């Protein structure tokens, strides 16, 4: 899978973080194989109860993550269990900020109980997409992170409004790329509403992960050459059948290609 | 209202804490006059979102409390917005413990943002009543408080199962008396299901508060003499019309009777 | 308050419906004086549990409405208790339709138990505002009403997208005007985000109700002459102090001006 | 699996209904293979949104059930998404009754939209277990069913308090047996808290179903002979891996043994 050409280009050691959403069940409902994923990723985006997640799941995932030296991030969301946080909402900025703070606080107590800390914040779903461009909500998320204290890094899309707002507020920002999402030649993601947005072929996913991690490039879906993607973290999806196995393949492929896999936080 | 007889008995300075439930609205719905009550009480039991309370309200109440040097307690509850936490529930102990921890964590972030701390825990409603006798749930609440860290005191009914469990676990316990609840000769409360359980006459409420704060006694509703009630805190109710005015009257009466009003935490 | 000029213009008998939102509490929280309002209005928009309302409240309001010959409407909303249905949401059309149907069904059983029927549907809050212009969500609401059966009329803003969609689908539509909202010269409402959007002066509210009911005109807030407003129903707000008294004043003023007050359904 | 002895005892045609819980997902979370189960059972207990279920799922399951001539029952529950309805609750009787009515109404609109009706009511989880003995809550459930109209049969445990209350109120009652639950010699179920309460061996489950359906007997787990179980319906569980396959095996075994499989409603 790894061509000699790609290999030749690598002159320096590459470092990458692997993040995935975890704890996205609720009560009786399970979604992700938390234990399996925690054996692969270096950063766990833990659902905090607003789109998914509940206290017992949060405690358990934090304990497992801490035991495995996986970093814990607060996967904050709109308050929307019925829609899994995938319904964009017009929330007044001040309320949204407080909802972000609340979720971070609720997760922090479990991280601390496990002997570690919430190390970063990653917005989820419709909120994630919204604050790519919506400056008001982006600012609200940053306000919420600031109020929570600790100067937490914000993990998100490179060039997003939330990254601009976070930087302006003095918060660290961390960019991520996606192993299984198609990119356009301009470096943006193919929207999920369009065909081909998600890459289903496992080999293609591993290849994209590798090209990105080794060379910072991704082959765009709409043809043309290659697009530079600067990101410190690679997002893996954990909510599909075979997700853990695919994540494991990606990790192994990266390791074989001398990519150092290490959390950013 | 204060008889000379009662006065003569007082040989030492008395100290009492005044606590009340605050922030018990939800979204658009308001219940308590938080600002009014915060001008009277020394300890605020802040709803954490499970039976009432929401992030913005929690932030606001914490900010006001901190500004007024009122101590902040986590008013933890069953997860029951529809029933206002007044429906006793059979929650598995481990889940209940985690739900308690979650609520404390969610409030703590706002207390810390306001420059202070969650200083104690007070269970609410059906959970409060249940853990007077239910050792399993009492133990679960204590486990949840322990997991949250900080060795928080548990405010509750003297002699309750939760106080026994908290003591056994090394947590401080603080007993409370009620200004407007009728007591029996054995020192227990008249259950709410019985007539006369709640004292509606304002003078009688002030009198009971005074007798308790000055002399540690309460005149039982079922006749007989007086019953000793040892408690460091006096619970005032804030969710009735005129609640703030009555709370103010009680505080003034206590101050006039040389009772020092001071938080326990 | 009623000028002779306005009186002279009235040559034919006028008929108007008075509608208000009812049952907008939740569990322990009360908002509207349901019993008071039911003595004034002819149509009750009953909250169905998604932004407010709960089963016991729905049963009670339906029973009172039926006893008072007040028509019952399903006040359908986004699923958003925390935001009181005031947060616009991007809900997939098919899901939104089903949520509308669910709410109508849940209210219908109580209306039928009270010996009557759900007679119409009125969207609430952010959904109401959204489907003034959003054709997709407007269509979804209409689909939900159709699926619920009974060909229920949709009460809403004249000229709204939901009215167009409802008409196209063969559903009756009923337009409403607002007694306490300022209008622009083009007949649209002054948005709530602008100053002066809500008329607080009771006399002015009564005057606007009267001018509308007698002559179908409203004096716009931005000057100029008068604007024609064609509407069969007048919306009164019930969630402010003195709401019932003001509603009563409006009803009395209309009755004195020979306006017949009668439900549309 | 079927002994000749058991066969010899059968002199008359046997008729049995097969019921299972369906639609027990919520939003993004799936639990049961609704389509698979609907190909096997004759009665579908459809979750109504209180412990599981949402409007779109309810519509879909009702449509599939109607198309397959499967009867639709309202699987009513305590309001407890977080606990999947498995947390017993002290709900005031009047509130519980209204919550039952609400759920039936919400499901009925989808059943009617699919051209059929809600044909029965089956309480779920902790409520099911509670109203085996709790007369107050049993009465509340019956009140809720009565208020919903239509004189719906109540499916439940033979001899339960809810069956007594339903009979006294003139509602039809339907008893059920369990294919995969161990029974005691007195005909009661082995509580889930005890080891061996659930039968995991597929052959044993099929055998129990057969013995019950053919002869109305079940071999108790605590030894001894056989216990008579009179029930018109057999409950299959759908929320385990392989559930559909097992259900299919049971159905086939019953059919081969000349048991007529037919809904009760």
């Amino acid at each position: 899978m790894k061509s000699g050409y790609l290999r030749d280009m690598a002159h320096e050691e590459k470092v990458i973080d692997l993040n995935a959403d975890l704890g996205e069940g609720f009560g009786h409902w399970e979604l992700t194989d938390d234990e399996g994923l925690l054996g692969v990723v270096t950063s766990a985006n833990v659902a905090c109860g607003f789109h998914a997640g509940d206290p017992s799941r949060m405690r358990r995932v934090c304990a497992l993550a801490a035991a495995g030296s996986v970093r814990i991030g607060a996967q904050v969301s709109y308050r929307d269990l019925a829609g899994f946080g995938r319904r964009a909402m017009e929330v007044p900025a001040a309320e949204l900020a407080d909802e972000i703070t609340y979720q971070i606080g609720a997760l922090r107590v479990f991280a601390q109980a496990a002997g570690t800390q919430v190390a970063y914040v990653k917005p989820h779903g419709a909120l994630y997409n919204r604050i790519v461009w919506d400056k008001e909500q982006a600012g609200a998320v940053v306000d919420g992170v600031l109020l929570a204290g600790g100067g937490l890094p914000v993990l998100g899309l490179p060039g997003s409004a939330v990254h601009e707002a976070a930087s302006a507020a003095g918060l660290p920002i961390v960019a991520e790329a996606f192993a299984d999402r198609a990119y356009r030649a301009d470096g943006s993601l193919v929207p999920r509403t369009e065909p081909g947005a998600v890459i289903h072929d496992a080999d293609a996913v591993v290849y994209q992960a590798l090209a990105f991690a080794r060379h910072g490039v991704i082959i765009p879906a709409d043809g043309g050459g290659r697009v530079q993607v600067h990101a410190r973290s690679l997002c893996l999806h954990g909510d599909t059948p075979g997700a853990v196995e695919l994540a494991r393949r990606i990790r192994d492929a990266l390791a074989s290609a001398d990519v150092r896999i290490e959390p950013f936080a």
Side-chain angles (χ1 to χ4, degrees), chain A:
Chain A
M1 188 169 336
K2 292 164 288 163
S3 73
Y5 176 69
L6 285 170
R7 268 198 171 282
D8 294 342
M9 283 178 61
H11 302 302
E12 35 168 336
E13 198 193 24
K14 302 295 182 179
V15 184
I16 195 88
D17 169 74
L18 300 179
N19 81 77
D21 297 344
L22 277 99
E24 286 193 314
F26 182 69
H28 194 55
W29 295 290
E30 199 59 61
L31 192 69
T32 44
D33 175 357
D34 295 331
E35 211 152 351
L37 283 166
L38 283 166
V40 181
V41 300
T42 41
S43 293
N45 318 317
V46 184
C48 301
F50 269 46
H51 76 285
D54 56 60
S56 292
R57 209 163 243 115
M58 290 161 73
R59 183 186 47 69
R60 202 163 52 236
V61 172
C62 283
L64 288 168
S69 297
V70 175
R71 295 302 183 277
I72 294 168
Q75 192 195 1
V76 297
S77 168
Y78 293 124
R79 187 196 280 262
D80 173 27
L81 278 177
F84 198 65
R86 293 186 171 169
R87 302 169 168 189
M89 292 173 69
E90 306 284 345
V91 189
E95 285 178 30
L96 180 55
D98 294 334
E99 291 185 346
I100 300 302
T101 307
Y102 181 99
Q103 293 177 73
I104 296 170
L107 184 63
R108 181 176 278 158
V109 73
F110 292 111
Q112 292 178 342
T116 182
Q117 280 291 346
V118 171
Y120 65 96
V121 174
K122 178 174 174 181
H124 163 81
L127 178 61
Y128 184 97
N129 295 328
R130 178 89 178 217
I131 58 179
V132 167
W133 57 267
D134 182 326
K135 291 183 182 180
E136 191 188 0
Q137 290 203 7
V141 169
V142 169
D143 286 347
V145 176
L146 288 171
L147 195 70
L152 298 176
V154 176
L155 178 59
L157 206 65
S160 56
V162 72
H163 268 182
E164 281 173 41
S167 283
L171 290 175
I173 58 174
V174 181
E176 66 174 350
F178 295 85
D180 64 356
R181 288 292 300 276
Y183 282 76
R184 286 169 166 161
D186 65 358
S188 69
L189 294 168
V190 176
R192 278 184 182 274
T193 47
E194 292 183 17
V198 176
I199 306 172
H200 294 291
D201 178 67
D203 287 342
V205 173
V206 175
Y207 180 84
Q208 177 154 311
L210 211 47
F212 161 71
R214 288 289 300 154
H215 311 287
V217 298
I218 281 177
I219 311 300
D222 49 5
R226 52 182 58 190
V227 51
Q228 292 283 329
V229 176
H230 300 286
R232 173 68 176 78
S233 186
L234 184 68
C235 182
L236 310 180
H237 286 112
D239 55 352
T240 49
V244 173
E245 193 191 2
L246 179 55
R248 167 61 60 193
R249 271 193 62 193
I250 292 172
R251 186 178 174 124
D252 290 346
L254 296 178
S256 306
D258 294 326
V259 175
R260 192 146 49 86
I261 296 162
E262 218 175 73
F264 60 83

